[in-house]
Each structure stands twice: as C-alpha cells, then as structure tokens.
C-alpha cells in the first residue's frame, strides 16, 4: 500500500468525535483534557503535564516563566552552537555571539587557539566587545579602561596603585566557557561543565553534518560571505524541521520551481520534482537529543542526474565532481553529489544546516526570535560554483527571497493564535501510527509526519525536568 493510501486510510479512521474532546485521551490522536495553568508550580510534574504524548500545551510558547526556565535549563546548561572556525580564520579575528541571554566572544587568540569568552569585564560588568565582528589584539572596557588580550588575559588595569599585592591579574581575565568542543569545524560551547562529550551529544546527527563538510573538496567549507537576519514575533521553538508545511506555506514557490525547472539558479535545482508530496519517498528522522532531519536522501538520489548536469555545465563543475569521487568511495560520492551539500538537519537547540546555509536561532523573548543565516561556500571549488550556491541561497532564504518571508509570517500568525487558549492543545501527533525505529535506533517517519516535533519536545522535556523521557512522543 502506498504512503498516500495509508494516509487516506488513517484519516478516514481517525475522525474526531467532537463531543468527546474533554474525556481522557484513548489514543495518540485524541485531544487531552483541559489543563488549568493559572496555578502551575513549574515543577517537573507540571512541566511534563504540558506535553503528553503527541500534544503540546500552548503555554510552552506563550508563558514568560517557562521561557526564563528554558534559557537557564537548556541554553545556559547544555551544548549550544557558537560558529564555524572558518569565520575566525586568522589570529585576532572575533565574532560577537549569544548563548541564551549571555553575550560571548567567539575569537581566535594570538596563539591560534579558538575560544569562547564571556563578553563581560571582570571589573564592573560592561561588555568589552561591542562590534559584531572584527580583528584586534585587545578587548578594552570603555567604562574604566581595563584591557584584555584576544586570548582573555587581563593585561592592564588603569590606576594599578589602587590595588595591593592581593590583586592577581591571572584571576581576573575574561571568563572562558567551561566546555568548548569542535566537530569538523563546527564549534559548540556549554556554560556548565557537566555535559556529555560533543560527539556523544551529536550521536547519529553527526553523519548529517558530514554530508555538508564532505561535499566540499578536501572537506573545507568557508563561512565568510556575510549573513542575513530575520526577526519574527514568535517563540524560538517554532523554528523546527517541518516537512508538512511547504505544500501550503510555500505553494507558490513549489509551483515556480516546476515552471522554471531548468533555471538552475533557484533551489529547484536540488529540489527536483516535489520532495514534500504525500506520496514522496522523503522521510523525517529523530536521532535523539532533539536532533532531527528532513531526510531527502532517497528522493535526491532518484533525481541526481539533473543536478549533475547543472554542475557539468558550470565552469569548474567537472573538476568538482572528479574531486568528490577521488576523495570518497563511489557510494558516498553518489550521495554527496545528489544532496548538493544539504543535510537539512536541526541540532538542538539552536543550529540548523539547511540547503546552502548555516542557521543560528537566538531566543530574544517568549514571543520574539532572531534567526541569522550564513551562506556556506566551498574553499576549493570554482568561483562559479560558489556563485551558484550564493544565488540559490538568496533565491529562497535571502532578504528578498521567496521562502523565509513565508516562514516568518506563518510563525507570527501561529503566535497570535496561541493566545486563544480555551482549547490550548497543539497537535503534534501526525504519523505516530506509522513511525518506526530503524536498525540504528533512529525514529523514522514520512516527510509530512511530525517526528521532528516530537523528538525536539522529548529533548525539551529531558532538559527542563532533569530526567530523560523514554519512548517516542
């Protein structure tokens, strides 16, 4: 039976009985009972009650106390993506970044070591780095003049005679993040030392990062083409891996790709046919720890010839293809070519690798989020191939692109709707009746199923309650 027929059959069997909506749920698609959150204590049991199997209470997106707890228990307590090492390729180069609400400096010191330093003077607390990016030997506090090296050491204090011999400059350098680790150039930091190794945390999602890195000859990507930002009035958790919405939110874009299938300069060059259709072979996957993907591997292997032809007609394309097959075994090279460097993976809580860019999600408030997107280029590919990657990024995700504006708009409409709370439950049960666990322990569903939403919520519960949540939501 085809996937499409399975969906129709399931839908026919699951028409809700509206009169029974306030009874206890008897299946994964039944609406839970109403829940009074006005007197919620925000303890572990209360938080778990907000996310029963296949459902999420809208308070998770609108409650300011929950948002503050998220900052402390998720962003300030676990691994958070900071940036790619190519952004600070030279000694002294720095980028200003955020870990939740805490400002940090992503910097390569004079000793060539990559660090993540808290952006706070050890004297009276002012930020010492005010530029978004740059290159310098020092960070100087404009409040009272304390000066630090680009590796964090306190070098000078104005008016040192005001301190006696008990003052030790070595104890007053910029505070480093307790844990900083690197996976293939992707730098993560944690503000608490009690976290698993980054490799353990990434788990099976690491192989999706490999799809991007290995698509670059010699495994060298560069993230130096600038960035663009989107700010929307909505909760940060709305930015997820969702394969159900493109047929509707991006309907006009999909139609344009079909009309202009041979242009090659839009993302239609890699999204041949429709990977989001109800009868598509594309899948969703949950790798654990909240890391999820829209898995287009099967779909794109079916249509790889089109993208290969585009590359062969692009200067440097033949050499690029040859490099892939000389550096990797043929099966992996076939996949790399088909995927075009697009793992379409989300690494919880703030990183996404989508199409030709790296995306950082920064929570601002319970109902405001900043998304910063960085195009990814290949260090050893031709200028023409990299130009193609940039044009493809701009066509959908750029400031005047056809897709990101759609997403920001729908996120804001959702945030408005969530304040209608007589029936406060969000339904994320789609596909629970057909998801399965593969041999690698990954939860797998159809491209339109809400496997990613359940996987992300499972990790949310684990970090918010301090105890792992077993099973599939």
């Amino acid at each position: 039976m085809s996937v499409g027929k399975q969906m129709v059959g399931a839908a026919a069997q699951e028409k809700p009985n509206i009169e029974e909506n306030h009874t206890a749920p008897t299946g994964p698609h039944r609406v839970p009972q109403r829940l009074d959150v006005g007197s919620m204590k925000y303890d572990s049991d209360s938080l778990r009650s907000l996310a029963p199997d296949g459902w999420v209470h809208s308070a998770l997106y609108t409650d300011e106390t929950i948002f503050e707890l998220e900052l402390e228990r998720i962003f300030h307590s676990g691994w958070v993506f900071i940036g790619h090492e190519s952004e600070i390729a030279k000694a002294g180069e720095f980028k200003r970044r955020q870990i939740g609400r805490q400002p940090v400096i992503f910097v390569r010191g004079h000793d060539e070591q990559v660090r993540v330093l808290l952006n706070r003077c050890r004297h009276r607390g002012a930020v010492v780095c005010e530029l978004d990016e740059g290159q310098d030997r020092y960070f100087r506090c404009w409040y009272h003049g304390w000066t630090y090296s680009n590796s964090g050491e306190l070098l000078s204090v104005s008016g040192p005679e005001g301190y006696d011999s008990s003052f030790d400059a070595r104890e007053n350098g910029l505070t480093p993040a307790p844990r900083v680790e690197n996976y293939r150039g992707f730098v993560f930091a944690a503000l608490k030392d009690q976290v698993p190794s980054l490799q353990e945390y990434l788990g099976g999602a690491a192989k999706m990062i490999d799809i991007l890195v290995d698509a670059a000859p010699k495994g060298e990507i560069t993230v130096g083409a600038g960035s663009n930002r989107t700010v929307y009035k909505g909760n940060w958790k709305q930015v997820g891996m969702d394969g159900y919405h493109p047929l509707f939110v991006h309907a006009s874009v999909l139609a344009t790709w079909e009309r202009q299938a041979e242009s090659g300069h839009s993302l239609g060059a890699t999204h041949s046919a429709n990977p989001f259709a109800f009868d598509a072979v594309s899948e969703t996957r949950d790798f654990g720890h909240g890391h999820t993907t829209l898995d287009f591997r099967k779909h794109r292997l079916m249509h790889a010839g089109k993208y290969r032809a585009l590359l062969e007609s692009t200067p440097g394309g033949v050499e690029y293809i040859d490099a892939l097959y000389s550096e990797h075994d043929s099966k992996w090279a076939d996949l790399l070519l088909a995927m075009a460097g697009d793992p379409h993976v989300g690494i919880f809580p703030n990183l996404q690798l989508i199409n030709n860019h790296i995306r950082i999600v920064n929570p601002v408030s319970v109902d405001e989020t900043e998304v910063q997107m960085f195009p990814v280029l290949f260090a050893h590919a031709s200028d023409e191939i990299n130009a193609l990657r940039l044009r493809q990024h701009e066509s959908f995700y750029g400031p005047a692109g056809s897709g990101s504006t759609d997403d920001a708009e729908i996120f804001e409409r959702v945030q408005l709707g969530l304040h209608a709370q007589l029936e406060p439950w969000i339904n994320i049960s789609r596909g629970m009746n057909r998801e399965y666990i593969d041999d690698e322990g990954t939860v797998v569903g159809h491209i339109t199923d809400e496997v990613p939403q359940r996987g992300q919520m499972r990790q949310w519960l684990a970090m918010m309650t301090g105890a792992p949540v077993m099973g599939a939501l």
Side-chain angles (χ1 to χ4, degrees):
M1 184 179 292
S2 70
V3 171
K5 290 181 179 178
Q6 288 177 2
M7 290 181 60
V8 171
Q13 297 170 15
E14 294 167 7
K15 290 183 179 179
N17 184 336
I18 301 300
E19 294 180 356
E20 298 179 1
N21 273 356
H22 303 302
T23 63
T26 58
H29 305 294
R30 294 298 304 275
V31 180
Q33 293 176 324
R34 288 183 178 177
L35 186 66
D36 179 16
V37 297
S39 58
M40 186 169 58
K41 299 178 181 179
Y42 301 101
D43 58 8
S44 294
D45 288 341
S46 296
L47 293 172
R48 277 192 286 268
S49 73
L50 298 177
D53 289 358
W55 299 86
V56 180
H57 196 285
S58 57
L60 267 68
Y61 297 82
T62 61
D63 188 286
E64 293 183 3
T65 300
I66 289 177
F67 177 76
E68 295 298 327
L69 290 174
E70 289 174 342
L71 292 180
E72 181 59 31
R73 298 179 184 180
I74 296 176
F75 287 87
H76 298 167
S77 298
W79 286 113
V80 174
F81 175 68
I82 301 298
H84 190 268
E85 63 182 8
S86 68
E87 297 181 77
I88 49 172
K90 300 177 182 177
E93 289 189 327
F94 63 86
K95 302 282 182 177
R96 191 170 62 158
R97 295 285 153 83
Q98 290 284 130
I99 300 179
R101 278 219 181 89
Q102 302 199 36
V104 298
I105 309 169
F106 180 43
V107 60
R108 188 180 292 272
H110 57 80
D111 57 359
E112 296 290 342
Q113 183 177 338
V114 172
R115 292 178 174 84
V116 178
L117 304 172
L118 275 292
N119 189 4
R120 169 181 170 147
C121 180
R122 293 295 301 278
H123 176 219
R124 299 274 287 277
V127 296
V128 298
C129 177
E130 297 178 327
L131 297 177
D132 283 342
E133 59 184 70
Q135 183 178 15
D136 208 333
R137 296 170 62 189
Y138 310 107
F139 296 114
R140 184 173 185 269
C141 179
W142 291 101
Y143 197 3
H144 298 100
W146 287 32
T147 302
Y148 303 85
S149 75
N150 56 24
S151 55
E153 298 95 343
L154 177 60
L155 296 180
S156 68
V157 173
S158 52
E161 64 277 3
Y163 301 90
D164 63 20
S165 60
S166 66
F167 180 85
D168 188 346
R170 293 172 297 181
E171 296 178 348
N172 287 276
L174 296 178
T175 304
R179 293 284 294 275
V180 178
E181 293 185 24
N182 179 325
Y183 181 77
R184 304 204 68 181
F186 289 82
V187 178
F188 294 74
L191 296 180
K192 291 187 177 180
D193 194 52
Q194 295 77 24
V195 293
S197 69
L198 179 60
Q199 186 74 49
E200 180 184 350
Y201 180 67
L202 292 176
K207 66 184 179 184
M208 303 306 291
I209 298 176
D210 294 341
I211 288 176
L212 168 57
V213 178
D214 287 347
K218 300 182 181 180
E220 293 185 32
I221 65 173
T222 62
V223 187
S227 67
N228 57 284
R229 300 171 190 251
T230 295
V231 177
Y232 67 88
K233 295 293 184 180
N235 190 269
W236 68 275
K237 295 187 294 298
Q238 292 193 44
V239 185
M241 308 306 295
D242 187 303
Y244 194 19
H245 80 283
L247 292 174
F248 309 98
V249 175
H250 305 309
S252 60
V253 180
L254 294 176
T256 300
W257 287 351
E258 291 182 6
R259 288 197 305 269
Q260 302 178 4
E262 304 307 317
S263 72
H265 295 288
S266 76
L267 287 177
T270 51
H271 276 317
S272 299
N274 188 345
F276 305 102
F278 292 134
D279 60 353
V281 298
S282 308
E283 298 168 321
T284 49
R285 290 179 179 269
D286 168 20
F287 297 107
H289 290 141
H291 313 322
T292 62
T293 187
L294 301 185
D295 190 350
F296 300 119
R297 287 177 288 186
K298 293 178 182 178
H299 178 90
R300 289 191 180 173
L301 282 168
M302 294 167 56
H303 302 278
K306 178 182 176 182
Y307 188 63
R308 184 180 189 127
L310 172 65
L311 286 175
E312 289 175 338
S313 65
T314 301
V318 172
E319 293 81 1
Y320 169 78
I321 294 171
D322 289 344
L324 289 186
Y325 283 89
S326 67
E327 294 175 15
H328 307 284
D329 66 71
S330 59
K331 185 176 181 180
W332 185 242
D334 286 344
L335 180 63
L336 295 175
L337 189 60
M339 294 298 287
D342 172 21
H344 234 91
V345 66
I347 306 297
F348 192 87
N350 73 324
L351 168 65
Q352 292 184 334
L353 306 179
I354 296 182
N355 288 107
N356 296 338
H357 75 271
I358 293 170
R359 176 181 297 186
I360 298 178
V361 179
N362 289 318
V364 178
S365 66
V366 68
D367 57 2
E368 184 174 356
T369 304
E370 176 194 73
V371 179
Q372 189 169 6
M373 291 169 271
F374 304 81
V376 175
L377 305 182
F378 295 160
H380 301 287
S382 67
D383 290 342
E384 289 82 0
I385 287 178
N386 281 325
L388 176 62
R389 291 181 61 81
L390 276 174
R391 300 294 86 77
Q392 289 175 336
H393 169 76
E394 292 165 349
S395 72
F396 193 86
Y397 299 101
S402 58
S404 285
T405 50
D406 290 343
D407 291 328
E409 173 66 21
I410 203 65
F411 292 159
E412 294 194 352
R413 294 186 188 189
V414 169
Q415 194 70 24
L416 288 172
L418 292 178
H419 287 282
Q421 295 193 9
L422 285 181
E423 289 290 353
W425 294 105
I426 299 167
N427 187 334
I428 59 169
S429 69
R430 182 179 178 82
M432 287 179 67
N433 55 307
R434 61 186 181 188
E435 67 181 21
Y436 65 93
I437 299 177
D438 67 10
D439 294 339
E440 297 179 349
T442 301
V443 182
V444 184
H446 184 256
I447 188 65
T448 64
D449 289 347
E450 287 159 336
V451 167
Q453 285 67 38
R454 294 189 290 274
Q456 291 161 356
M457 190 50 54
R458 184 158 49 251
Q459 179 67 9
W460 185 93
L461 279 170
M463 298 190 75
M464 292 291 284
T465 65
V469 178
M470 304 305 293
L473 287 175

